[in-house]
């Protein structure tokens, strides 16, 4: 059992005495983060506001969008929601960006669904 500063039980083992193990965990965590946040994603630019995001279609009906601060600031739809005091996180995505993603799929810029082989070599 692992302890946290002498307080008792902790959910994860404490590997402070094993720097190799800590480094391996940090490397695996970084790889996981990269895979889940950027893996297989394609850049796309909104044809209306020119916000640049990363997108991945895992099926014809499912799209993951990775926004960044610059894209959030550039999006007119999100800016309008924020200006009215709303929460832009409740918007599935900007309808204009959705149209741009659909255009990217039609043009072959964004794959229609996940590939059979992971482009990141993760699985």
């Amino acid at each position: 059992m692992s302890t946290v500063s002498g307080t008792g039980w902790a959910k994860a083992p404490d590997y402070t005495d094993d720097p190799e193990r800590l480094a391996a965990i940090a490397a695996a965590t970084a790889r996981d983060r990269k895979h889940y946040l950027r893996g297989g994603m394609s850049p796309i630019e909104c044809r209306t506001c020119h916000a640049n995001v990363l997108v991945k279609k895992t099926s014809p009906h499912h799209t993951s969008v990775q926004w960044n601060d610059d894209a959030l600031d550039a999006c007119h739809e999100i800016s309008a929601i924020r200006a009215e005091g709303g929460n832009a996180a409740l918007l599935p995505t900007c309808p204009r960006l959705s149209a741009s993603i659909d255009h990217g799929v039609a043009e072959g810029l964004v794959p229609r669904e996940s590939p059979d082989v992971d482009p990141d070599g993760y699985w």
Side-chain angles (χ1 to χ4, degrees):
M1 180 190 308
S2 178
T3 62
V4 176
S5 304
T7 61
W9 181 83
K11 288 185 177 184
D14 178 1
Y15 293 110
T16 54
D17 294 338
D18 189 351
E20 270 185 48
R21 178 74 174 174
L22 280 174
I25 291 169
T29 300
R31 183 176 180 212
D32 287 349
R33 182 178 176 87
K34 180 181 176 190
H35 174 74
Y36 286 107
L37 293 180
R38 296 186 197 96
M41 299 191 95
S42 303
I44 198 82
E45 179 180 352
C46 177
R47 297 170 63 195
T48 302
C49 69
H50 305 288
N52 290 292
V53 298
L54 295 173
V55 297
K56 174 173 52 176
K57 303 248 341 132
T58 52
S59 76
H61 304 290
H62 183 264
T63 305
S64 296
V65 178
Q66 186 67 40
W67 289 83
N68 58 49
D69 289 338
D70 291 339
L72 290 170
D73 291 342
C75 179
H76 304 302
E77 294 286 325
I78 289 176
S79 295
I81 291 169
R82 286 178 169 173
E84 294 171 3
N87 183 350
L90 300 177
L91 178 70
T93 195
C94 170
R96 292 180 175 111
L97 178 63
S98 285
S100 297
I101 293 168
D102 291 344
H103 178 78
V105 170
E107 293 294 318
L109 302 172
V110 176
R112 222 171 262 288
E113 55 189 61
S114 294
D116 292 333
V117 177
D118 180 12
D120 303 319
Y122 190 83
W123 33 265

